[in-house]
Amino acid sequence: MNSTVVAVSVVYFALMIAIGLWAARRTKTAEDYYIAGKGMSMWAIALATMSSAMSGFLFIGGPGFQYSFGFGTLMLTFPAAVSFGLAWYLLGKRMRMLAEVRPVVTIPDAIHARYDSELARGLAAIAILLGVMGYLATQTLAMGYVLSRIFDLPLSVGVITGVLIVTVYAVAGGMIAGIYTDVVQGAIMLVAAVLTFMLALDVGQGMDNMVVAISSTDPGWVGPFGNLAPGVVIGWYLVFSLGILGQPQVAHKFYMLRDPAQMRWGAVVAASVAMITSLVWLSLGTVSKYLSLEGGAPFESADEAAPSFMIEHAPAWLTGIFFAGVAAASMSTADSFLNIGAAALTRDLPKAIGKTISPQDELRLGRIFTVILAAVAGAVALLSGQLVAVLGIFGWGTFAAALAPALGFGLNWRRATAEAAVASLVTGILLQVALELNYQMGWRPDLLPDYVYRTGFSFVMSFIVFITVSFLTPPRQLPRDIDAVMRV
Amino acid sequence: MSGAKKMAQQDRRLDILVACLLVAFISAAACMLLGLELLFCYAVSVILFLSAMLGAERRGTTGPFKYFFLATLLCWLVAFSIMAGFDIEAIRERGYVDELIGSLPPETAAAVYLLWPAPFLLMTLPYALLFRRNILSDADVEAINKLAAENRQSADEKSV
């Protein structure tokens, strides 16, 4: 790779480690480690929420996906306009106020505070651990891929290097490092996306030219659903909009806000930055398709579309920023999940089975589990082959299907019961696992029609179960403080 | 009206809203499985609209948010209806797209220019604009802080 690209990348990685070491000096308690001591500003929270929600898929998988299937794939990124708004309306003040009245640090803590059920807390922790492992493995692989491209390394060395860098700053600085690196990473993603968008339009001689050229050979591609089943595309729109309510990397950021009044502009900042960064998906997918029709060399895989375009057409400094942007997107997601996974193992599962761990041990164990999780994710990424993709899809879907009803609706609807929370958690986890395994293993290919998005089905069923069971079971009197939080 | 009665009325309002959500989710599941694409689009729009209403509900009212959310719902319904009209055969016959709106075929333009910015402007932005009056006032924060102080005091007393 060009020396300028290498230099830009080295500066970026050095900056991430420096932030981690700086944050380590501010991390003294478990609260600092898991929720940044509730001392973050609105800008930091909004950018960190955006960058941890938008993973490396935005720069590599997304454009590759659009290159293959057309404009319909944008329905995976359009929800950003509404999802952050929904997260702020349904979770924002409830989560933040919950952190005022109860010592909550994790999402299972919030579930427990709301339903007073250790079973619901334990199931939420299991859903989080399952999802975290899936997410971490895919992000680890994405980091390894980028590093191997930049430094001409074997993939395995790239994965190990990526794991080491994230582990250093996540272990040392916990969530304080996570938030500040996310802010820098979010800014890099924004710059990389805007510059790449302008370059892609320039190379393709404008969107009109590209669309007309593509439509002459592949008219379905330029349609609103692309070459995909409309039912699948609309299912994405639903799950990626409302499913944000179950994403722990988004929901637990509300605990960290210094002042509740600062919540005001958070959704606007997060959504607008996410929408701007989505331009990279729209433009790179389109220009790659256009160039391939104009006689460009075919790609080995769709994921090669975006990196190949940058290497061939972008100046070296922009290619460097692009690759740093990809690494930034993967790392910002990975560090959040390391922290969330460590909290599930150190805090949530022991509490669910009635074990109490001292605050000092919680911090020490949190760091140990962060290292273990990173090592396991690296091993899974390297050893599981095709399964990594399955785990990645499974991760996001599990959070959405299992946690969104109990957390998102449960914090806004006083009639919701603990039995309903348990039932929807079980439904979400089981349907996600069963449908995904069935599809990947090919046991019963006709179980669901091919125009149905599997996660969409699990997601909708989980909400139906949650609401139905809540209406069928007697509501309990809520504690005064929880009732007050829900009536604010 | 007494405080308890008022609260019970607010709770009933929420129950009705969630019951409507249940109907929308069941409709979405049915349309999804039966392949009724346009109806599925409409059910999804209603789910998102009602979910936003649930989040904006405060002391028995959604205040001015309901107008913004209704406008968003309208945008979703219009955008999905236009998108469903995409005629791939007509393009195949002509050999290329002959009509572009904002550099895109009209049906795709409806997705990009309606489905993308409209919910941001009509749903996400009003959260910030109406925050003080309709989301979280200083009095709300003060009341919660008071409760938090009571909880801390009771925890301290228990530990002593």
Side-chain angles (χ1 to χ4, degrees):
Chain A
M1 185 73 83
N2 181 294
S3 57
T4 310
V5 178
V6 175
V8 171
S9 304
V10 167
V11 169
Y12 163 74
F13 290 122
L15 182 62
M16 293 304 104
I17 292 174
I19 292 172
L21 297 176
W22 167 80
R25 292 191 307 181
R26 293 181 55 185
T27 303
K28 294 183 173 65
T29 65
E31 195 177 78
D32 293 337
Y33 193 73
Y34 292 125
I35 56 169
K38 294 185 195 167
M40 291 293 152
S41 70
M42 178 279 290
W43 285 98
I45 291 300
L47 274 173
T49 306
M50 184 287 297
S51 61
S52 56
M54 310 289 272
S55 67
F57 194 72
L58 180 75
F59 284 84
I60 302 284
F65 212 29
Q66 201 198 337
Y67 164 80
S68 301
F69 299 107
F71 282 123
T73 63
L74 291 172
M75 286 292 194
L76 287 165
T77 179
F78 284 172
V82 64
S83 62
F84 290 105
L86 287 172
W88 257 256
Y89 278 110
L90 284 142
L91 295 176
K93 69 178 172 188
R94 311 268 179 241
M95 297 291 282
R96 184 60 190 83
M97 290 300 161
L98 203 56
E100 287 295 312
V101 299
R102 295 282 179 104
V104 288
V105 170
T106 63
I107 298 308
D109 278 347
I111 299 265
H112 177 259
R114 167 64 182 86
Y115 299 105
D116 193 21
S117 161
E118 291 298 355
L119 180 58
R121 185 210 289 268
L123 285 167
I126 289 168
I128 283 175
L129 271 178
L130 287 170
V132 159
M133 280 320 299
Y135 238 127
L136 268 178
T138 44
Q139 297 308 316
T140 305
L141 194 65
M143 280 188 296
Y145 172 77
V146 171
L147 284 164
S148 67
R149 287 296 296 257
I150 296 171
F151 299 108
D152 289 326
L153 299 167
L155 182 62
S156 57
V157 179
V159 167
I160 292 166
T161 311
V163 166
L164 283 175
I165 293 170
V166 176
T167 307
V168 164
Y169 75 73
V171 169
M175 194 38 87
I176 297 175
I179 294 286
Y180 284 115
T181 50
D182 281 1
V183 169
V184 175
Q185 287 157 351
I188 292 171
M189 286 162 69
L190 186 64
V191 172
V194 171
L195 294 176
T196 305
F197 174 70
M198 286 156 59
L199 175 77
L201 288 191
D202 186 45
V203 170
Q205 296 163 45
M207 190 58 86
D208 314 41
N209 177 53
M210 292 189 279
V211 165
V212 171
I214 294 168
S215 72
S216 64
T217 53
D218 191 352
W221 197 97
V222 300
F225 301 107
N227 291 319
L228 292 155
V232 171
V233 172
I234 301 306
W236 288 342
Y237 191 75
L238 173 65
V239 173
F240 283 79
S241 297
L242 198 58
I244 200 167
L245 301 179
Q247 302 302 309
Q249 76 277 27
V250 172
H252 86 151
K253 296 264 179 353
F254 292 116
Y255 293 152
M256 303 171 197
L257 204 57
R258 189 187 307 138
D259 174 7
Q262 286 189 336
M263 240 175 329
R264 183 174 186 172
W265 290 99
V268 172
V269 173
S272 49
V273 176
M275 287 168 73
I276 294 169
T277 52
S278 299
L279 291 174
V280 77
W281 181 317
L282 170 73
S283 59
L284 277 184
T286 308
V287 77
S288 299
K289 178 73 177 177
Y290 169 73
L291 291 175
S292 73
L293 295 176
E294 294 291 300
F299 304 114
E300 269 181 40
S301 78
D303 287 352
E304 282 290 320
S308 298
F309 171 79
M310 295 307 292
I311 290 166
E312 277 174 39
H313 296 279
W317 61 268
L318 181 53
T319 309
I321 292 177
F322 176 82
F323 277 105
V326 181
S330 305
M331 286 180 159
S332 56
T333 305
D335 69 36
S336 266
F337 282 111
L338 280 175
N339 191 286
I340 291 163
L345 285 166
T346 319
R347 183 182 173 91
D348 302 323
L349 281 178
K351 280 193 173 178
I353 55 170
K355 290 209 181 299
T356 313
I357 295 174
S358 73
Q360 292 81 5
D361 283 346
E362 214 174 282
L363 178 58
R364 188 174 54 82
L365 283 172
R367 286 184 158 132
I368 292 169
F369 277 121
T370 302
V371 175
I372 293 171
L373 277 175
V376 173
V380 171
L382 287 174
L383 300 175
S384 58
Q386 279 279 23
L387 194 64
V388 166
V390 182
L391 290 173
I393 297 161
F394 173 78
W396 209 95
T398 305
F399 292 144
L403 297 170
L407 191 66
F409 279 19
L411 283 176
N412 290 277
W413 183 36
R414 281 177 291 281
R415 183 76 173 71
T417 63
E419 292 81 358
V422 168
S424 70
L425 278 158
V426 170
T427 305
I429 294 169
L430 287 185
L431 275 180
Q432 266 298 103
V433 173
L435 291 177
E436 208 54 56
L437 272 178
N438 175 62
Y439 177 76
Q440 296 300 332
M441 301 298 180
W443 292 328
R444 284 280 311 275
D446 56 348
L447 191 66
L448 282 178
D450 55 7
Y451 52 78
V452 171
Y453 171 42
R454 291 181 302 283
T455 296
F457 180 74
S458 318
F459 183 73
V460 168
M461 290 312 295
S462 183
F463 272 99
I464 290 173
V465 166
F466 178 75
I467 299 172
T468 308
V469 176
S470 287
F471 275 127
L472 293 177
T473 46
R476 282 183 214 158
Q477 180 80 33
L478 291 172
R480 198 168 137 246
D481 55 347
I482 301 297
D483 190 63
V485 164
M486 292 182 68
R487 288 190 190 276
V488 164
Chain B
M1 198 189 294
S2 74
K5 216 170 174 185
K6 220 173 176 179
M7 282 184 196
Q9 207 170 50
Q10 289 169 12
D11 289 350
R12 259 198 307 279
R13 210 179 119 92
L14 279 176
D15 290 350
I16 293 167
L17 186 61
V18 178
C20 294
L21 267 160
L22 178 61
V23 173
F25 274 112
I26 292 171
S27 309
C31 297
M32 187 195 290
L33 291 171
L34 295 171
L36 304 171
E37 289 149 5
L38 191 56
L39 289 179
F40 182 35
C41 290
Y42 293 161
V44 165
S45 307
V46 172
I47 288 171
L48 295 175
F49 163 74
L50 291 174
S51 300
M53 293 283 280
L54 179 66
E57 181 81 20
R58 184 167 174 261
R59 294 185 192 121
T61 174
T62 44
F65 287 119
K66 59 178 166 287
Y67 303 113
F68 287 103
F69 296 167
L70 276 169
T72 316
L73 176 64
L74 191 66
C75 286
W76 274 320
L77 298 178
V78 169
F80 283 131
S81 302
I82 296 173
M83 286 162 67
F86 183 71
D87 186 357
I88 190 169
E89 290 310 320
I91 301 175
R92 271 205 188 108
E93 270 173 33
R94 276 193 307 273
Y96 60 93
V97 180
D98 64 343
E99 189 191 358
L100 295 177
I101 297 176
S103 304
L104 297 166
E107 298 82 1
T108 311
V112 173
Y113 301 119
L114 262 180
L115 223 49
W116 207 9
F120 173 76
L121 295 172
L122 295 170
M123 197 173 263
T124 304
L125 192 58
Y127 179 92
L129 299 178
L130 301 168
F131 183 84
R132 279 279 182 214
R133 269 190 58 189
N134 298 90
I135 299 284
L136 192 67
S137 65
D138 287 339
D140 293 328
V141 177
E142 216 169 279
I144 293 290
N145 283 341
K146 206 173 145 196
L147 261 175
E150 283 174 25
N151 279 3
R152 273 193 296 273
Q153 197 181 355
S154 128
D156 288 347
E157 279 166 12
K158 268 185 198 163
S159 66
V160 168

